[in-house]
């Protein structure tokens, strides 16, 4: 799967960037995720993205899948930080 960046570039999807964005949001919320928390969230995002036949996905769609994974897992406070965090651009 490829990602179309905000500037129009297309790059290969890198799940490490999603992992980092979860870590940053939880740190900013002063509610650090455990490795296990992040593993579950990352797996959820990957599963949801892989359910589609989309070959190119936008950063916005990845962010939405990440936000939804946190909400579904009960991490509402961290999800709010993620949503408002400018550094979660995944670029």
């Amino acid at each position: 799967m490829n990602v179309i960046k905000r500037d129009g570039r297309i790059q290969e999807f890198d799940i490490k960037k999603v992992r980092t964005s979860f870590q940053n949001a939880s740190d900013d919320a002063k509610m650090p995720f455990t490795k296990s928390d992040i593993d579950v969230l990352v797996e959820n995002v990957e599963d949801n993205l892989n359910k589609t036949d989309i070959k190119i996905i936008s950063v916005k769609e990845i962010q939405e899948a990440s936000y939804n994974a946190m909400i579904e897992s009960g991490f509402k406070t961290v999800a709010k930080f993620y949503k408002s965090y400018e550094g979660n651009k995944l670029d």
Side-chain angles (χ1 to χ4, degrees):
M1 178 183 316
N2 289 317
V3 178
I4 188 161
K5 301 298 200 170
R6 286 184 175 87
D7 65 4
R9 290 178 295 132
I10 296 177
Q11 292 181 342
E12 188 173 332
F13 176 67
D14 183 358
I15 197 65
K16 292 176 197 168
K17 292 181 180 183
V18 173
R19 182 175 293 279
T20 299
S21 70
F22 284 140
Q23 187 68 53
N24 290 341
S26 70
D27 289 349
D28 287 348
K30 307 242 185 296
M31 302 176 81
F33 285 149
T34 65
K35 181 183 180 316
S36 178
D37 292 336
I38 293 175
D39 290 344
V40 168
L41 291 168
V42 166
E43 185 176 322
N44 184 310
V45 170
E46 283 183 309
D47 288 348
N48 286 329
L49 294 177
N50 288 331
K51 286 179 184 176
T52 68
D53 288 332
I54 299 171
K55 301 296 181 208
I56 298 178
I57 191 165
S58 71
V59 169
K60 177 89 173 142
E61 290 168 309
I62 296 169
Q63 288 175 328
E64 194 63 32
S66 298
Y67 175 80
N68 290 338
M70 285 186 277
I71 294 294
E72 292 167 8
S73 297
F75 297 115
K76 293 179 183 176
T77 300
V78 178
K80 288 178 186 177
F81 272 82
Y82 179 86
K83 197 75 160 179
S84 65
Y85 179 61
E86 279 299 313
N88 72 358
K89 294 179 180 174
L90 303 173
D91 287 329

